[in-house]
Structures are given as C-alpha cells and as structure tokens.
Amino acid sequence: MAKGKNKSSETRSGKPSRGSNGHHTRTNHKRMEMKFSNAGTGANSKEAGFPVKLAMWDFDHCDPKRCSGKKLERLGLIKSLRVGQKFQGIVVSPNGKGVVCPDDKETVEEFGASVVECSWARLDEVPFNKIGGKHERLLPYLVAANQVNYGRPWRLNCVEALAACFAIVGRVDLAAELLEHFSWGLGFLELNKELLEMYQKCTDSESVKKVEEEWLEKIDKEVQERKSQSREGDIWLQGNTNRDLQDMSDDEEFDSEQYYSEENTERKIRYDNLGNVLISEEENESEEEEEVRYDALGNIIESEEEAAELKYDSLGNLIEDDEQEVEEDLARTTEKLKKLET
Ligand SMILES: C[S@@+](CC[C@H](N)C(=O)[O-])C[C@H]1O[C@@H](n2cnc3c(N)ncnc32)[C@H](O)[C@@H]1O
C-alpha cells in the first residue's frame, strides 16, 4: 500500500482525487507502490543524487503549489511513506521528545531523515501513533525563512526542518543542497547562522536544549532592556515596535508546544531573527486608531472632560475662559439696563 492510504480517495465533488503528480489516486497507489516498494531503503533520494535518504508522510493538507514537501517529491528527492510504515532514520516531528543534536549524525548519514507533511493547524488529525520511528525529534529554537511563516520561531516547513536537522548534525553541505531548490532557501541558513553554529558545537539533546534556553534568556534580557529604556523615555525607542517573544504571555513558560497551537496559527505575528515579535500591520493600525488630539493652541488634550470643556466661537477660535466670562457679564448687564429703562 502506498501514499494514498493517508487520504480519502474521493474529493468533495465526488471525483477521485489526484495525487501530487496529477494522477488519480487509485492509479497513484499502484505507481507509488512500485516507486516506493523500497521505502525505508532510501534508494529514491540516492537515485536522484542526494546522498542520504529523505522521506515524508504526506497528509495532503497543504496547497501543492506552496508545499515544500511536494516540491521535493516532484524533484524526486524524497519518498512518501504510508501510515503504518515506520522510518529507521531521524524523524523530525512535532511529536518528537528530545531535540535533534550532533550525536544524531550517524543515524542521519546511515538511515536518513524524514518529516510529516501536514498543516500546522491540523496536527490533531495526524495519527502520530501510526507513523514515526525510534528516533523522533523536535527541532530546537530556529526561525523560519519560508514565505508562509517568515520570521516565526519553531514553525519550519518540511525542507527547512530537514535542512535544520542536517545543519545541526554538522552536514551544512546537505542542508544547502536541499535549500538551493528554493528561491528563499539559503536565507534560512543565513537567518539562523549564529544559532546553528552553537548547536553544532553541542553533543546530545540536553546540551542543545541548554544552548536553546540560554539563547531564549538572552533574547528575553535584550527585550527587557529595550523595554526599560523605552520607559525611560528615549524618543528613538518609543517608536520601536519590536516586542518580546514573551510579550505574548509574560507569565507563561515559553515552549515550542505553544507554537503548535491553533490559536497561534491564527495570530499575525512576525519575528526578527532574534525572535522579537514584529507587530503586524493590523496591530499597528489599531494602535494608530488611538489618535492624539490637540486643542487650538497645539496642546495635547489628555481627557474627554478636557475636550468637552473647550469652547469655540463661530470662527473656530478657542473661547478662553476669561473672555467667555466677560461676554456673559456684559450680556447680563445689558439685560439689567433694558429692564431699568422700561
Ligand atoms: C507541519 S509541516 C508543514 C509543511 C509545510 N506545509 C511545507 O510546505 O513544507 C512541517 C513539518 O516539518 C517538521 N518540523 C518543522 N518544524 C519543526 C519543529 N520545530 N520541530 C519538529 N518538527 C518540525 C515536522 O515534520 C512538521 O510536520
């Protein structure tokens, strides 16, 4: 059985669905069976000239045109695995326990690396108990460079996840070779250069986690510093919209789990390469809505009451309190005189 097993064989319109190669699913099953009857041996990526095995479980959640896993498949670089099939190499997966580390190098070189091609918003539909393998891993903190999730920490696409795995174990050559197929691809290595170099110097999963924690603490510290500078009223920093990753929830412990949540999928958050949140256009707009109001003398109107108290004459001139009182006195006196005359 092949790839199509993961999906329903019919589309909503009732027509048989088409696989990423454009063939109807049933035809696809047969072809895939033949093509990947050697699944787990890695012949496919090697035949395409890539020196290690690449594999994925494809749940067809994503737009094939924007999906990096599908592109690798079209290039003949990655093999599709079916549900129920396990993978001997490193499985880079949201279901991983430890993180990828340099100690994984041998496993990567001998048995390859795999990913789960699915939507971040539909992870709960993935039967993680029926896929995976003995070496399931999370990725440590890294920032996406792909066009869909640019700047987002942890949420890498399939090619970035595979490249990250290769880079961490010290095979940046393999990472670059994969990423070169994508216009933005090498930007991923550039964006994460410093951090990747630090991970490469580690050994096991724990040591990578430690580096990750220190990095997050560093980011946090920088943001706190920026915040306090901003509070002190530095005019240049007041306009700075970069905010802490932890601003999203100052009290919560920061972990990758949060970033897999649907709630976060919906958020329009962008990050720079330090993990700082860049406020989105929408958020900025709402901040701009709180416009500053000025009185006729150019003073900032601080409150509604203050605004209500201000009075203007028919020419739009501010009626200063004294002037107004004088006018009222005059009117009263004129009234009295009129009465006396009568
Ligand atoms: C959720 S899919 C999204 C794929 C995307 N549609 C694409 O075009 O490639 C990304 C996959 O990459 C791997 N991945 C990405 N970031 C990861 C991380 N931080 N930890 C573990 N696996 C990760 C997982 O296999 C995950 O399922």
Side-chain angles (χ1 to χ4, degrees), residues 293-296 299-313 318-321 324:
R293 288 186 295 161
Y294 299 90
D295 67 17
N299 302 313
I300 293 175
I301 300 169
E302 305 267 5
S303 64
E304 280 304 318
E305 293 83 60
E306 219 177 283
E309 276 167 20
L310 297 171
K311 295 193 178 69
Y312 300 87
D313 66 16
L318 178 72
I319 303 171
E320 301 273 7
D321 275 355
Q324 195 180 339

Side-chain angles (χ1 to χ4, degrees), residues 57 61-63 66-70 91-96 98-100 114-121 123 126 128 137-142 146 148-149 153-162 182 184 256 260:
W57 289 269
H61 290 170
C62 309
D63 173 359
R66 284 153 48 115
C67 174
S68 71
K70 288 249 192 293
V91 180
V92 187
S93 156
N95 197 43
V99 291
V100 175
S114 64
V115 283
V116 185
E117 174 52 68
C118 61
S119 158
W120 287 110
L123 286 181
V126 177
F128 283 109
R137 303 274 189 272
L138 282 167
L139 286 168
Y141 180 93
L142 286 167
N146 70 71
V148 179
N149 276 324
W154 278 292
R155 195 160 289 195
L156 310 184
N157 69 13
C158 288
V159 68
E160 287 172 321
L162 291 166
F182 299 80
W184 49 267
S256 49
Y260 299 137

Side-chain angles (χ1 to χ4, degrees), residues 70-108:
K70 288 249 192 293
K71 180 162 179 183
L72 293 178
E73 190 184 33
R74 285 196 295 275
L75 293 167
L77 288 168
I78 200 164
K79 78 177 82 178
S80 216
L81 301 171
R82 61 191 155 74
V83 171
Q85 197 171 5
K86 300 279 178 175
F87 185 71
Q88 277 182 291
I90 298 294
V91 180
V92 187
S93 156
N95 197 43
K97 301 295 172 276
V99 291
V100 175
C101 60
D103 283 357
D104 289 327
K105 187 175 183 185
E106 242 179 71
T107 314
V108 166

Side-chain angles (χ1 to χ4, degrees), residues 260-303:
Y260 299 137
S261 71
E262 206 156 316
E263 190 194 328
N264 266 331
T265 317
E266 302 305 323
R267 295 183 71 157
K268 296 265 187 308
I269 300 168
R270 289 285 177 272
Y271 304 86
D272 65 16
N273 62 354
L274 290 172
N276 302 312
V277 178
L278 303 170
I279 298 178
S280 70
E281 298 270 305
E282 286 95 315
E283 282 182 29
N284 278 335
E285 273 165 24
S286 67
E287 279 185 6
E288 276 163 20
E289 272 165 24
E290 254 184 58
E291 67 181 46
V292 180
R293 288 186 295 161
Y294 299 90
D295 67 17
L297 299 172
N299 302 313
I300 293 175
I301 300 169
E302 305 267 5
S303 64

